Amino acid sequence: MSVYKDTKTNTWRAVFRYTDWTGERKQSQKRGFSTQREAKAWEKEQLTKLQGACNMTFGSFVELYFEALSGRLKLNTINSKKHIFKTKILPYFADKKINEIKATDIINWQNDLINMRDGNGKPFSQTYLKTIHNQMSAILNYAVRYYGLKENAARKAGAMGKKESDKEMLIWTKEEYSKFAEIMMEEPMHYYAFEMLYWCGIREGEMLALTSADFDFEKQTVRINKSYQRIDGEDVITDPKTQKSIRTIKMPQFLCDEMQDYIGMLYGIDENTRIFPISKSALYRAMRIGSEKAGVQKIRIHDLRHSHVSLLIDLGFSAVEIADRMGHESIDITYHYAHMFPSRQDEMASRLESERSEIICR
């Protein structure tokens, strides 16, 4: 470990040399310190990180945390986590040592976020507050499990926010979607994209990743095995959300005919070219404008997936059957859409009455 002064810039530079877990010698350095004291403090912090001690700063631990997550999570998931840490967590805890973060610090941090307002004067949603808290709790859990932190202060303080998935869920009826689809016919690419979303219930990223090779029109199927994301200004094709998301969906004949016609209209594409080369923002804009013209309630694109599930429930399909089509576990369908399934309580009570009567009559 060494600290040097750069006479040209009149600043200090710290060089930290170490041996990693594979036995390889490595070097890390940082320039631009105003004083020798700052350079030595950085040098000391690097040693603390290397030793894996819980008296390192939270900011340093975040670096270790994301190094460990690299390669384990999708790039867009990593970027979402990093954004939350950069904007909502690090401004409060970056310079505080991990083992000095107390439950009262967490509560004060929560209160600040709860009282915070965006540019339009609106507070963060309960779902977003819960997401932020979960990220903080997750990193402290990691410190407890692997770095000997005595307790998770975020867990001790208690969660903030709450899940509002059921409250936020909106759906279109078949009639509402038909009105919207009629308006969308003016823009063929958007029309066929929304047809896939509504009649197959696939996720937005899954739809945007589709290629002609994913369709088998003889078998009336579409294969879902990838997802599209726009990350750091680049188009990125990733694996689907979960392993269960890899699936083959049977399409109704009319949709097969529509998609065959649409793909036939695309000039000069190969089987690996995305058939919907549009952005998510363009899709959002088309849905907003189309909803207004059609005079139907405004819903999110993801709500088309909820609408598809609602339609399948109305048609009498079970949670297990729907889960297989949607790329979910059946328990997830039961949990999220339980309020949509018709109640059979009267039938249950009647049949139990019959069973009881048979016992008495014997």
Side-chain angles (χ1 to χ4, degrees), residues 109-302:
W109 165 69
Q110 291 175 339
N111 289 337
D112 276 357
L113 290 174
I114 290 170
N115 293 321
M116 193 174 291
R117 297 293 182 270
D118 64 17
N120 297 317
K122 294 183 178 180
F124 295 134
S125 71
Q126 291 295 307
T127 303
Y128 189 51
L129 289 173
K130 184 176 178 64
T131 298
I132 297 171
H133 176 85
N134 287 347
Q135 293 300 326
M136 184 63 174
S137 187
I139 193 171
L140 293 181
N141 272 340
Y142 185 80
V144 169
R145 180 174 296 180
Y146 299 110
Y147 287 81
L149 185 66
K150 290 184 178 180
E151 65 177 3
N152 180 342
R155 177 177 293 178
K156 188 174 182 179
M160 68 172 168
K162 60 184 178 181
K163 194 169 185 179
E164 294 183 320
S165 56
D166 290 343
K167 182 179 178 181
E168 294 175 350
M169 187 185 299
L170 298 172
I171 63 168
W172 273 344
T173 62
K174 287 180 294 183
E175 292 72 24
E176 286 176 309
Y177 176 71
S178 294
K179 291 179 181 179
F180 171 78
E182 187 175 351
I183 296 297
M184 282 295 101
M185 286 181 179
E186 300 172 6
E187 302 179 50
M189 184 181 294
H190 288 143
Y191 168 76
Y192 291 112
F194 285 116
E195 285 284 272
M196 288 299 299
L197 289 170
Y198 182 78
W199 294 109
C200 289
I202 58 179
R203 299 178 178 91
E204 180 185 4
E206 295 170 344
M207 181 274 294
L208 291 173
L210 289 174
T211 67
S212 61
D214 295 321
F215 293 86
D216 187 327
F217 293 115
E218 289 186 6
K219 295 182 179 179
Q220 291 182 225
T221 61
V222 59
R223 177 71 171 161
I224 305 299
N225 58 10
K226 54 190 173 295
S227 183
Y228 166 85
Q229 306 288 338
R230 183 75 175 173
I231 302 174
D232 296 332
E234 296 184 2
D235 294 336
V236 179
I237 301 298
T238 68
D239 293 333
K241 186 175 182 180
T242 66
Q243 189 63 30
K244 186 77 173 177
S245 299
I246 299 176
R247 63 203 188 278
T248 298
I249 297 174
K250 188 84 170 181
M251 297 186 294
Q253 185 61 55
F254 77 83
L255 186 59
C256 281
D257 295 341
E258 286 186 343
M259 292 310 300
Q260 202 163 12
D261 289 343
Y262 171 65
I263 292 174
M265 292 188 294
L266 302 178
Y267 178 75
I269 67 165
D270 59 42
E271 62 178 15
N272 296 314
T273 299
R274 289 171 53 224
I275 61 173
F276 296 114
I278 50 181
S279 66
K280 290 185 178 182
S281 59
L283 209 58
Y284 298 156
R285 186 165 55 253
M287 190 171 190
R288 176 177 54 80
I289 295 173
S291 299
E292 291 175 354
K293 288 183 177 179
V296 296
Q297 66 171 325
K298 293 180 182 178
I299 65 174
R300 302 168 304 174
I301 288 178
H302 190 72

